[in-house]
């Protein structure tokens, strides 16, 4: 397998700290509560036996109560404010931690305002990653470092990209959008003209159909969140409803499809059902409040909420209404799903219900036993997320996570679960359910339906193993 | 649905009432069909959109060597660069429990797709540069390498849509698309 940045490069510093605070030899004592363990060579009395977990009040249920095996706590913690658990500081000295000093930046004025803001230089590691093998510039994909982000919105500069012939530098004054084919009035639009229509904003995810395809591999690869799941982004997209322009052009009765085409060197092209085009498709001029970034389709990209990423054609220059699909390269030889037999699913439009845990995850080691928040994202191209369950014991027991609003259709939801890590091995999983009732499948269920040769639309439950050092790794469980 | 710290944004405010759309302006500029032709590069499976011209595999071999081989490898089987992919071979590898090798010959259901893709996206460094005759010829060459057409078969707007691809019946609709 490739080396960094795809390696799950757990921090050596974290590993050292963990090894200093925890002796690696752990014996499970099953007669105790499921949170309890006995350590040999113990260094920290707070970790021993029941002291590793809250001394709970006896009224039930309390927020700190276990809600599922291996330390998953009740999501009521998130609704009822401060933790009742007394173990948040487990392993920390209660003495004076450090002497506070007045830092240099408090003594002289800082520099002035930049014309366009940049992240702190101390956040320089929060960047997109690029997959091997090396491709020509702008060909292939960059991946969002989801494990270093929070909330539901992807910063525009960190939104993943997938391009086939580089990123065109388009002069918006020269760019045109053509609508033709089975319409009464073929029309051409300038970008300036598009910007004068009534606009709408919509918070929506875009996920590449090839996201998470590493999990089709027979053996779990040593990859991190970005490398496996980083072809996912979410933005507030703003633009003109496609239906507005199609109505203006006048749709002929025999039209059933819209062929969308980009202005890149590959003239990337996909066929879209007219029903989707008339439903919630948006011609986006803005992304997170500013003009769409070039790598995401400047000056105008198509947004098809919930549909696989490449259908959201970037640098949109042409929409041709037709009776049938074009059967382009990307809807025949790519983005079709080869099943267990010789057949392949074609036109797999929606991203189906899915979730991932972004923290803890490979490279984000746990430093010591105690309380942690499990945080992640859940999304469905078919609607809204209704529930996310989490497990710390590889799916043997589950508890519902807290969902952070707003919960929007075809947008990621941030979920959070409270976890009391006892320092022992754990397998963390999340399982999402959407409001159509679809439940994220296990890897076995997923493979049973379609096999593992399909490459695209992998949405099965993913697993992170936490070892006794606090390191996380990608596993099949 | 329970939420954590509900954000006070009213979601419905993100969408504008449909009433505004009823008064939408009309800024599209009419365009004549003849003026659209330069942009209308879509090729349909039935051949609609195919330009006049012709070519054979024998004629396409030299074009392939000059324009395609650097990335796709000699005779399309051994890609020179990983992102280009193999164009030839893999027949029979879609069978259950085999590792699929998806090429033009083993996987693509329509020959028109090959013409469409080459004409819009290839050669990589100078897309949309081949003449119609060159496009037919190099399409014929790739089909010939896969054993689908003969070396001297004339490929043109009439014959290309009639080419029967081996995996033509290999595709079924996804059962769970939204209505």
């Amino acid at each position: 397998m490739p080396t960094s940045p795809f390696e799950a490069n757990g921090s050596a510093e974290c590993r050292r700290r963990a090894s200093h605070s925890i002796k690696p030899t752990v014996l499970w004592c099953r007669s105790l509560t499921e949170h309890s363990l006995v350590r040999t060579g113990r260094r920290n009395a707070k970790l021993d036996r029941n002291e590793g977990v809250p001394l709970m009040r006896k009224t039930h249920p309390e927020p700190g109560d276990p809600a599922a095996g291996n330390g998953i706590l009740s999501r009521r913690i998130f609704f009822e404010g401060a933790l009742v658990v007394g173990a948040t500081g487990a392993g920390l000295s209660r003495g004076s931690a450090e002497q506070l000093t007045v830092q240099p930046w408090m003594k002289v004025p800082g520099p002035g305002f930049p014309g366009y803001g940049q992240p702190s230089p101390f956040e320089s590691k929060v960047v997109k990653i690029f997959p091997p093998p090396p491709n020509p510039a702008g060909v292939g994909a960059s991946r969002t470092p989801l494990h270093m982000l929070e909330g539901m919105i992807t910063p525009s500069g960190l939104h993943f990209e997938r391009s086939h012939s580089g990123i065109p530098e388009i002069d918006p004054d020269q760019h045109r959008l053509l609508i033709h084919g089975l319409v009464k009035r073929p029309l051409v639009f300038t970008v300036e003209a598009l910007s004068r229509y009534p606009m709408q904003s919509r918070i929506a995810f875009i996920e590449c159909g090839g996201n998470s395809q590493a999990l089709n591999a027979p053996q779990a690869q040593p990859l991190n969140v970005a490398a496996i799941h980083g072809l996912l982004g979410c933005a507030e997209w703003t633009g003109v409803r496609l239906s507005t322009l199609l109505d203006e052009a006048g749709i002929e009765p025999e039209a059933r499809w819209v062929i969308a085409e980009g202005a890149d060197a590959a003239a990337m092209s996909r066929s879209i059902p007219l029903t989707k085009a008339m439903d919630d498709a948006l011609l986006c001029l803005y992304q997170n409040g500013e003009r769409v970034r070039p790598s995401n389709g400047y000056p105008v990209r198509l947004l098809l909420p919930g549909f696989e990423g490449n259908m959201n054609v970037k640098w949109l220059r042409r929409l041709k209404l037709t009776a049938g699909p074009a059967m382009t390269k990307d809807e025949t030889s790519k983005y079709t799903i080869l099943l267990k037999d010789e057949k392949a699913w074609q036109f797999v439009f929606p991203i189906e219900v899915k979730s991932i845990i972004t923290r803890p995850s490979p490279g984000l080691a746990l430093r010591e036993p105690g309380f942690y928040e499990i945080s992640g994202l859940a999304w469905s191209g078919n609607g809204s997320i209704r529930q996310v369950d989490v497990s710390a014991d590889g799916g043997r027991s589950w508890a519902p996570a807290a969902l952070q609003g707003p919960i929007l259709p075809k947008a990621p939801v941030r979920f959070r679960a409270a976890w009391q890590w006892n320092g022992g091995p754990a397998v963390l999983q999340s399982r999402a359910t959407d409001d159509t009732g679809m439940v994220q499948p296990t890897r076995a269920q997923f493979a049973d339906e379609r096999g593992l040769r399909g490459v695209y639309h992998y949405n099965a439950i993913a697993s992170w193993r936490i070892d006794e050092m606090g390191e996380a790794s990608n596993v099949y469980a | 649905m329970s939420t954590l710290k509900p954000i006070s944004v009213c979601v419905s405010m993100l969408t504008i009432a449909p009433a505004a759309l009823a008064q939408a302006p009309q800024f599209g500029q009419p365009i004549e069909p003849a003026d659209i032709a330069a942009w209308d590069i879509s090729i349909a499976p039935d051949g609609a959109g195919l330009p006049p011209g012709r070519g054979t595999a024998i004629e396409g071999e030299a074009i392939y060597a000059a324009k395609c081989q650097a990335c796709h490898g000699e005779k399309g089987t051994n890609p020179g660069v990983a992102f280009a992919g193999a164009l030839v071979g893999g027949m029979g590898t879609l069978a259950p429990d085999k590792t699929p090798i998806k090429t033009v010959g083993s996987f693509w259901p329509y020959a028109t797709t090959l013409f469409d893709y080459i004409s819009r996206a290839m050669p990589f460094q100078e897309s949309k540069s081949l003449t119609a005759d060159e496009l037919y010829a190099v399409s014929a060459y790739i089909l010939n390498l896969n054993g689908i057409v003969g070396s001297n078969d004339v490929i043109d707007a009439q014959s290309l849509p009639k080419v029967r691809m081996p995996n033509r019946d290999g595709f079924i609709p996804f059962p769970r698309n939204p209505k």
Side-chain angles (χ1 to χ4, degrees):
Chain A
M1 283 306 294
T3 54
S4 64
F6 269 41
E7 295 288 353
N9 48 344
S11 153
E13 171 68 12
C14 292
R15 191 183 291 275
R16 274 196 302 278
R17 293 186 197 187
S19 65
H20 284 189
S21 61
I22 308 166
K23 285 293 182 182
T25 308
V26 176
L27 299 176
W28 285 93
C29 182
R30 301 204 182 271
S31 64
L32 301 176
T33 73
E34 58 195 13
H35 294 288
S36 304
L37 69 156
V38 172
R39 292 171 180 279
T40 60
R42 65 184 61 134
R43 289 174 62 96
N44 187 332
K46 285 197 173 237
L47 294 175
D48 292 344
R49 299 179 68 87
N50 285 323
E51 293 180 45
V53 290
L55 296 172
M56 287 173 277
R57 302 170 191 166
K58 294 306 174 190
T59 54
H60 289 279
E62 288 291 346
D65 280 354
N70 208 10
I72 298 290
L73 305 181
S74 168
R75 63 176 168 167
R76 294 177 61 204
I77 282 176
F78 294 101
F79 304 127
E80 299 185 4
L83 294 173
V84 179
V85 293
T88 53
L92 294 181
S93 164
R94 290 301 185 191
S96 179
E98 61 180 302
Q99 193 171 7
L100 299 179
T101 58
V102 177
Q103 299 288 359
W105 51 79
M106 297 184 69
K107 297 178 180 175
V108 294
F113 308 119
Y116 199 102
Q118 296 294 316
S120 163
F122 295 98
E123 299 299 318
S124 61
K125 291 180 179 173
V126 184
V127 291
K128 292 173 285 191
I129 64 169
F130 301 88
N135 285 339
V139 176
S142 69
R143 292 160 192 254
T144 299
L146 294 167
H147 56 302
M148 297 189 168
L149 304 177
E150 255 294 345
M152 67 190 295
I153 299 292
T154 308
S156 297
L158 294 175
H159 196 290
F160 86 95
E161 302 136 318
R162 170 75 177 100
S163 301
H164 300 78
S165 280
I167 301 163
E169 186 176 287
I170 296 177
D171 177 350
D173 291 338
Q174 301 295 317
H175 187 75
R176 296 291 182 273
L177 173 64
L178 170 65
I179 297 179
H180 71 120
L182 295 174
V183 295
K184 294 180 170 64
R185 293 171 294 278
L187 296 172
V188 175
F189 298 86
T190 64
V191 177
E192 161 68 13
L194 294 177
S195 71
R196 293 175 63 188
Y197 282 86
M199 292 196 200
Q200 295 189 352
S201 289
R202 171 157 197 157
I203 294 172
F205 74 82
I206 297 178
E207 182 183 19
C208 177
N211 201 24
S212 313
Q213 67 178 265
L215 300 185
N216 287 303
Q219 304 296 327
Q221 305 296 312
L223 304 173
N224 68 8
V225 172
I228 300 172
H229 305 294
L231 298 175
L232 171 75
C234 175
E236 183 199 15
W237 301 99
T238 305
V240 182
R241 284 188 75 119
L242 176 51
S243 62
T244 302
L245 303 187
L246 295 181
D247 283 340
E248 182 175 332
I251 301 168
E252 297 285 6
E254 61 269 39
R256 293 289 180 275
W257 293 79
V258 181
I259 303 170
E261 182 178 271
D264 55 326
M268 164 71 188
S269 181
R270 283 298 309 259
S271 305
I272 294 145
L274 182 61
T275 50
K276 180 67 173 180
M278 295 300 289
D279 177 17
D280 57 0
L282 210 55
L283 304 182
C284 301
L285 302 171
Y286 293 85
Q287 174 184 1
N288 291 334
E290 63 181 357
R291 288 283 183 162
V292 173
R293 297 260 172 125
S295 59
N296 270 292
Y298 181 88
V300 55
R301 89 169 295 168
L302 182 60
L303 177 73
L304 302 175
F307 278 22
E308 64 177 9
N310 71 94
M311 298 180 72
N312 298 254
V313 173
K314 301 192 284 190
W315 316 295
L316 188 69
R317 75 152 194 168
R318 190 164 71 97
L319 296 163
K320 182 178 185 181
L321 276 67
T322 57
M327 298 292 176
T328 68
K329 183 261 291 180
D330 285 291
E331 56 208 33
T332 56
S333 72
K334 308 291 181 188
Y335 303 107
T336 49
I337 296 177
L338 182 62
L339 302 171
K340 286 186 285 190
D341 58 16
E342 299 188 29
K343 300 293 185 185
W345 280 336
Q346 189 175 30
F347 298 120
V348 185
F349 299 135
I351 297 292
E352 298 194 291
V353 64
K354 184 170 177 180
S355 69
I356 55 169
I357 292 170
T358 55
R359 178 168 49 83
S361 66
L364 302 179
L366 309 181
R367 299 186 176 198
E368 60 193 5
F371 176 85
Y372 288 89
E373 180 183 274
I374 297 170
S375 174
L377 293 167
W379 63 101
S380 170
N382 284 319
S384 301
I385 293 297
R386 176 194 292 165
Q387 179 169 330
V388 180
D389 300 306
V390 291
S391 174
D393 55 14
R396 283 186 290 280
S397 63
W398 298 89
L403 303 184
Q404 172 176 293
I407 298 171
L408 304 175
K410 303 168 187 176
V413 171
R414 175 64 59 175
F415 67 85
R416 305 181 188 282
W419 184 39
Q420 185 70 22
W421 180 47
N422 60 20
V427 174
L428 303 182
Q429 296 181 335
S430 61
R431 179 183 65 192
T433 303
D434 69 18
D435 63 358
T436 72
M438 285 196 72
V439 181
Q440 190 178 3
T442 65
R443 191 166 188 275
Q445 290 167 335
F446 178 89
D448 185 57
E449 185 193 31
R450 69 180 78 176
L452 292 168
R453 305 190 302 166
V455 181
Y456 302 101
H457 288 251
Y458 187 96
N459 73 325
I461 291 169
S463 306
W464 303 130
R465 180 178 183 272
I466 309 294
D467 68 16
E468 293 156 3
M469 306 294 284
E471 300 285 348
S473 58
N474 175 39
V475 295
Y476 297 151
Chain B
M1 178 62 69
S2 51
T3 61
L4 166 65
K5 288 185 181 176
I7 294 177
S8 60
V9 172
C10 177
V11 173
S12 63
M13 292 180 67
L14 293 174
T15 54
I16 304 297
L21 301 178
Q23 301 160 18
Q26 301 209 340
F27 292 130
Q29 295 298 310
I31 183 169
E32 292 300 316
D35 296 325
I36 293 172
W39 270 31
D40 188 6
I41 59 175
S42 296
I43 310 298
D46 65 2
L50 282 169
R54 57 166 300 287
T56 66
I58 287 178
E59 293 161 354
E61 183 170 6
I63 300 161
Y64 180 90
K67 305 277 189 179
C68 318
Q69 187 166 303
C71 289
H72 290 285
E74 192 174 352
K75 297 188 185 301
T77 56
N78 185 21
V81 295
F83 79 98
L87 302 171
V88 175
M91 301 291 194
T93 63
L94 306 184
D97 301 324
K98 290 197 172 179
T99 299
I101 300 171
K102 296 191 277 190
T103 73
V104 173
S106 70
F107 198 67
W108 291 39
Y110 296 98
T112 49
T113 305
L114 182 61
F115 186 101
D116 176 84
Y117 183 65
I118 299 170
S119 75
R120 69 175 57 239
M122 293 290 127
F124 180 79
Q125 297 292 0
E126 45 182 357
S127 64
K128 306 173 188 67
S129 64
L130 299 180
T131 67
D133 284 347
E134 288 173 323
L135 289 167
Y136 282 116
V138 78
S139 298
Y141 180 66
I142 293 166
L143 294 169
N144 176 253
L145 288 174
N146 280 290
I148 298 169
V149 304
S151 303
N152 289 304
D153 289 355
V154 173
I155 299 300
D156 59 17
Q158 285 68 48
S159 60
L160 185 66
K162 297 194 180 87
V163 171
R164 177 78 183 178
M165 300 296 277
N167 196 38
R168 170 67 183 84
D169 296 326
F171 296 86
I172 57 177
F174 179 61
R176 296 194 293 269
N177 275 328
K179 300 301 178 192

